[in-house]
Amino acid sequence: MSAHPRLSINQATIKYATLDEALEATVAGGVEAIGLWREPVQAVGLDEAARRLADSGLRLSTYCRGGFFTMPEGPARRASIDDNRRGIEETATLAGAGAPGSTSVFVLVAGGIPEGSTDLIGARARVADALAELAPEAQAAGVTLAIEPLHPMYASDRAVVSTLKQALDLAAPFDPSVVGVTVDTFHVWWDPEVLPQLARAGNEGRIATYQVCDWKAPLPADVLLGRHYPGDGVIDFASLTEAVEATGYTGDIEVEIFNKEIWDTSFGEAIARTAAGFDAAVVPHLAASVRAAR
Amino acid sequence: MSAHPRLSINQATIKYATLDEALEATVAGGVEAIGLWREPVQAVGLDEAARRLADSGLRLSTYCRGGFFTMPEGPARRASIDDNRRGIEETATLAGAGAPGSTSVFVLVAGGIPEGSTDLIGARARVADALAELAPEAQAAGVTLAIEPLHPMYASDRAVVSTLKQALDLAAPFDPSVVGVTVDTFHVWWDPEVLPQLARAGNEGRIATYQVCDWKAPLPADVLLGRHYPGDGVIDFASLTEAVEATGYTGDIEVEIFNKEIWDTSFGEAIARTAAGFDAAVVPHLAASVRAAR
């Protein structure tokens, strides 16, 4: 069994898997790369996780995730910054252990408006402050911080970074090898500015990772879990994927799906259906496929 | 009992009220203006509704709503355009019957991506086509079509117009007295571009109505119903209201809340709590209050 060589399984798609189960199911599915999450890595310890990743032969496509640094200065903010520092080190270690082609990309979700506050503008400014504090450490470790704009429905409680333009503006002061962006179709598909902003991201060399999954209405009761296999919803993967490919992005493409029903299937089934959705909805729009079709 | 003179109750806030009940409860609450919805008006007939509005002494602030014209050409699209034509006429009739200061503003919600399609770009283009078709009729009737950008979480199934910038771009080809925008805090609060786009809307004379209600996480199971009284959530009414006031907008300000729990209270309580929330969260940021405080 073999999947498209650029497909990567983000571990959130098989959320209930331990690190070993995730590595094994990804290899068994013929997939070459994986995006790991911190909790399963920490469950076995970083060094052991790095050994197991190396043994798997898989590339690391991203490490998820840091961020959550919108709170005002104080002990909670210091704890968050410290945790992000550890995340940067973990990313470097794991990327070094992954197969050739692994990338040192640490995905950052900004965090929401602090409890009891209505100061969205202030919360956004503190994201910029946190990046300025973490960028030197990321640079020293050879890690790219990948700011992820999240869909605006999460702006209050999860991520005050809501559009690709905003993420690129936040990244602008830094070298693109140090601060880039995460482009996830679920979060950006609706944005009237997404195509020009993808072109801008390409010109600026900021696309650190491209993630794909689908959007379908109605949203479930927990709006975090409303993601679907590529092709099962309304997202126009043609225009988005072609725009990402036009930037020259040639990296792995992750499928990251939060969906209780998908989590309740076997890891093997989730990976097989992910690969099938990817083949049908995304692969035809990759630059190599478009060239081959001409 | 007397509410702030610029407060208007959008009838959706007391959804279960008949036209008579809505007019009566609004007057009883000391509110001077109302935003009406088509269904309760049509339930009594347009002429009778106009008489009752006139008898109430209330101003009409908006008439809700038209739009839903994203489908491709064909009978369904023709039916939608015809329905919007009737809505324009109804708006003119009702505004003529309301108290002095009534405005002929017909709110337009674009509609979602047609069933089975992923062509968001095409759906958005068809919104522009519909405006071009309806604008002459609106102009002849003295009605302003007020395109409402809806929160991006509704982009697939309800409104492909997702940002204020996009709404202003759609309005740009037309005279501002014919095509303007609806600014609803619930839909635009998260947008990193909202303040400059509000300034632009002011410069272009496009703010046809300003609506306020609050956002609070978590969203309810039906994400349409997650609106709250001003001040009960995370929206920064200071920056938004001051930006709207800075444009010179002096019209009525509607509170439009879809919320099952609020609908289940008495009309009087909903209006009293609306007025109290408005006084606390919005009034201090109106230009007159800001001037008085200096």
Side-chain angles (χ1 to χ4, degrees):
Chain A
M1 190 165 166
S2 146
H4 191 277
R6 289 179 65 191
L7 172 63
S8 175
I9 299 295
N10 184 290
Q11 195 171 351
T13 303
I14 48 172
K15 182 186 169 76
Y16 304 147
T18 64
L19 177 65
D20 281 339
E21 289 168 339
L23 295 170
E24 192 178 323
T26 301
V27 170
V31 176
E32 299 181 10
I34 191 165
L36 292 178
W37 277 65
R38 296 185 76 187
E39 295 74 5
V41 164
Q42 291 169 349
V44 301
L46 177 61
D47 292 343
E48 183 60 28
R51 265 192 296 277
R52 295 183 190 183
L53 175 62
D55 288 347
S56 75
L58 294 171
R59 293 188 298 273
L60 181 76
S61 51
T62 68
Y63 190 48
C64 299
R65 64 189 177 182
F68 295 95
F69 37 41
T70 46
M71 64 289 273
E73 193 49 74
R77 185 173 181 84
R78 285 303 104 203
S80 167
I81 296 290
D82 286 347
D83 187 58
N84 276 280
R85 285 199 179 98
R86 286 190 294 276
I88 290 167
E89 296 305 324
E90 291 163 16
T91 305
T93 299
L94 292 167
S102 290
T103 49
S104 298
V105 171
F106 187 40
V107 174
L108 300 186
V109 170
I113 303 170
E115 188 67 30
S117 167
T118 61
D119 184 14
L120 176 61
I121 294 169
R124 286 173 167 166
R126 290 190 292 273
V127 174
D129 295 344
L131 290 172
E133 194 166 352
L134 293 169
E137 318 228 1
Q139 184 155 28
V143 167
T144 303
L145 304 173
I147 313 168
E148 182 164 16
L150 257 56
H151 191 285
M153 71 184 169
Y154 306 122
S156 69
D157 60 348
R158 187 158 298 260
V160 296
V161 179
S162 305
T163 64
L164 183 52
K165 175 178 190 299
Q166 187 192 3
L168 290 168
D169 289 348
L170 283 162
F174 308 98
D175 188 278
S177 67
V178 179
V179 182
V181 298
T182 296
V183 175
D184 184 320
T185 55
F186 183 83
H187 295 306
V188 303
W189 72 275
W190 59 271
D191 185 352
E193 304 294 318
V194 67
L195 297 181
Q197 291 297 324
L198 283 171
R200 171 190 169 194
N203 289 337
E204 298 177 359
R206 299 276 180 196
I207 300 181
T209 177
Y210 179 44
Q211 301 180 334
V212 292
C213 73
D214 219 332
W215 172 286
K216 186 161 65 172
L219 294 164
D222 180 346
V223 294
L224 273 179
L225 307 184
R227 300 178 180 220
H228 299 273
Y229 293 118
D232 282 3
V234 302
I235 291 181
D236 177 8
F237 289 101
S239 69
L240 294 171
T241 301
E242 285 165 15
V244 170
E245 292 284 287
T247 68
Y249 179 81
T250 56
D252 291 322
I253 302 175
E254 287 190 4
V255 176
E256 183 188 48
I257 304 176
F258 300 102
N259 181 314
K260 182 71 166 56
E261 285 169 32
I262 293 175
W263 291 341
D264 284 341
T265 62
S266 73
F267 308 139
E269 181 182 341
I271 290 173
R273 291 201 52 190
T274 295
F278 187 81
D279 280 347
V282 179
V283 168
H285 311 294
L286 297 177
S289 311
V290 172
R291 273 196 305 272
R294 273 180 192 146
Chain B
M1 191 164 166
S2 146
H4 190 278
R6 290 180 65 191
L7 172 63
S8 174
I9 299 295
N10 184 290
Q11 194 172 351
T13 303
I14 47 173
K15 182 186 170 75
Y16 304 147
T18 63
L19 177 65
D20 282 337
E21 288 168 339
L23 295 171
E24 191 178 324
T26 301
V27 170
V31 176
E32 299 180 10
I34 191 164
L36 293 178
W37 277 64
R38 297 186 75 187
E39 294 76 4
V41 164
Q42 291 169 348
V44 301
L46 177 62
D47 292 342
E48 182 61 27
R51 266 192 296 276
R52 295 183 191 184
L53 175 62
D55 289 347
S56 75
L58 294 170
R59 292 188 298 273
L60 181 76
S61 51
T62 67
Y63 189 50
C64 300
R65 63 191 177 178
F68 295 96
F69 37 40
T70 47
M71 64 289 273
E73 193 50 73
R77 185 172 180 85
R78 285 303 105 204
S80 168
I81 296 290
D82 286 346
D83 187 58
N84 276 280
R85 285 199 181 100
R86 285 190 294 275
I88 289 168
E89 296 305 324
E90 290 163 17
T91 305
T93 299
L94 291 167
S102 290
T103 49
S104 298
V105 171
F106 187 41
V107 174
L108 300 186
V109 170
I113 304 169
E115 189 67 30
S117 166
T118 61
D119 184 15
L120 176 61
I121 293 168
R124 286 173 167 167
R126 289 190 291 272
V127 174
D129 295 344
L131 290 172
E133 195 166 351
L134 292 169
E137 318 228 2
Q139 185 156 26
V143 167
T144 303
L145 303 173
I147 312 167
E148 181 164 17
L150 256 58
H151 191 286
M153 72 184 168
Y154 307 122
S156 69
D157 60 349
R158 187 157 297 260
V160 296
V161 179
S162 304
T163 64
L164 183 53
K165 175 177 189 300
Q166 188 192 1
L168 289 168
D169 289 348
L170 283 162
F174 306 98
D175 188 276
S177 67
V178 179
V179 182
V181 298
T182 296
V183 175
D184 184 321
T185 56
F186 184 83
H187 296 306
V188 304
W189 72 275
W190 60 270
D191 185 353
E193 305 294 320
V194 67
L195 297 181
Q197 291 298 325
L198 283 172
R200 172 190 168 194
N203 289 337
E204 298 177 0
R206 299 277 179 195
I207 301 182
T209 176
Y210 179 44
Q211 301 181 333
V212 293
C213 72
D214 219 332
W215 173 287
K216 187 161 66 171
L219 293 164
D222 180 346
V223 296
L224 273 179
L225 307 184
R227 301 178 179 219
H228 300 272
Y229 293 119
D232 281 4
V234 303
I235 291 181
D236 178 8
F237 289 101
S239 69
L240 294 171
T241 301
E242 285 165 15
V244 170
E245 292 284 287
T247 68
Y249 179 80
T250 55
D252 291 322
I253 302 175
E254 286 189 7
V255 176
E256 182 189 48
I257 304 177
F258 301 133
N259 182 315
K260 181 71 167 56
E261 285 170 31
I262 292 174
W263 290 342
D264 284 341
T265 62
S266 72
F267 308 141
E269 181 181 341
I271 290 173
R273 292 201 54 192
T274 295
F278 187 81
D279 281 347
V282 179
V283 169
H285 311 295
L286 297 178
S289 312
V290 171
R291 274 197 305 273
R294 273 183 190 142

